[in-house]
Amino acid sequence: AADRAVPAVDDAWPGPWARRVVLLVPDSLESMAGLLGAPAAGYRGIAAVTTGEVGSPGAAPADRIVVNPEAYGALSSYGQRIVLTHETTHVATRAATSAATPAWLSEGFADWVAYRGTERTAGEIAPELQRAVRRGETPARLPSDEDFAFGGDAERLARSYEGGWLACELIARDWGERRLTAFYRAVGAHPGREGAVEKAAHDVLSTTPENLTARWRDFVRQRLA
């Protein structure tokens, strides 16, 4: 599955990266948590994570994917492929990801790469967000970093990933895939979080965060209504 993920990521993320990943597959959720130095409850239901965290200092690559054997083993082969492609994207983009990169962009981009070229509908990829939209609860803003916290509200977490994916889908559709990757790099190259999205939106997309958010809300409604 990892051998299939690497070329899929390489096709979507131009530029140098290791083009290899190391997977650690412990025998239980508890062993996974021990490898990560965190409580097991925080990773229950999470199929895999990369060792490098968004916003961590330095440029060391996130070259290890740690698999939760319980959650990963419950997935279909399609689901396993999506998970490993998502995590491999984090490996590939680690050098371009910094404290300036919001979670909606890093997680949304990883999902965009994972689902790129699949035949699944938006509703199949984003079922929780679709349910919210059909209740008349289209989100007013892009997901915050706090919305991606593990161990909290599972539905909010799902909607956050789905919203980030649709933001990257929108950029790829309206500006092109190469502009999406250039936007990702520009955000991560900014010296800090403040102003990072604003500057990259202006320099790469010739727009503003406010306009991008408004277009994203319209896109969410269009794809999921």
Side-chain angles (χ1 to χ4, degrees):
D3 286 343
R4 291 192 294 272
V6 168
V9 173
D10 197 40
D11 186 60
W13 180 252
W17 67 285
R19 294 177 175 83
R20 63 184 291 272
V21 292
V22 175
L23 275 76
L24 303 181
V25 188
D27 60 1
S28 67
L29 170 61
E30 289 69 24
S31 295
M32 175 200 187
L35 287 171
L36 295 168
Y43 295 102
R44 195 173 304 280
I46 304 300
V49 297
T50 54
T51 54
E53 296 178 356
V54 172
S56 61
D63 60 355
R64 282 169 173 76
I65 297 170
V66 184
V67 173
N68 174 357
E70 296 176 11
Y72 184 84
L75 296 173
S76 66
S77 59
Y78 171 82
Q80 291 175 350
R81 178 166 62 87
I82 293 298
V83 164
L84 286 188
T85 305
H86 175 107
E87 298 301 333
T88 301
T89 302
H90 286 317
V91 175
T93 59
R94 177 64 184 90
T97 307
S98 72
T101 309
W104 71 260
L105 180 56
S106 62
E107 298 299 344
F109 184 78
D111 266 358
W112 176 77
V113 174
Y115 288 111
R116 180 174 175 260
T118 69
E119 297 180 356
R120 298 299 172 101
T121 66
E124 289 171 331
I125 296 171
E128 291 296 340
L129 190 54
Q130 183 176 65
R131 280 190 275 274
V133 169
R134 290 179 174 178
R135 291 194 303 267
E137 300 172 3
T138 301
R141 56 165 178 78
L142 287 160
S144 69
D145 286 6
E146 290 73 24
D147 291 331
F148 287 90
F150 291 165
D153 184 334
E155 291 183 2
R156 184 180 75 166
L157 180 62
R159 290 193 300 270
S160 300
Y161 275 89
E162 294 163 3
W165 167 70
L166 279 167
C168 292
E169 272 279 293
L170 169 67
I171 295 170
R173 186 196 71 170
D174 289 1
W175 285 273
E177 294 187 359
R178 291 298 173 255
R179 287 283 186 91
L180 171 59
T181 57
F183 175 72
Y184 192 104
R185 293 180 189 276
V187 171
H190 199 265
R193 176 64 64 90
E194 186 174 354
V197 171
E198 288 82 353
K199 188 175 190 308
H202 176 271
D203 293 352
V204 180
L205 307 179
S206 299
T207 191
T208 64
E210 293 76 20
N211 179 260
L212 181 61
T213 298
R215 291 173 67 157
W216 169 74
R217 296 185 77 240
D218 289 342
F219 187 62
V220 167
R221 283 191 291 261
Q222 171 193 331
R223 295 291 300 274
L224 299 177

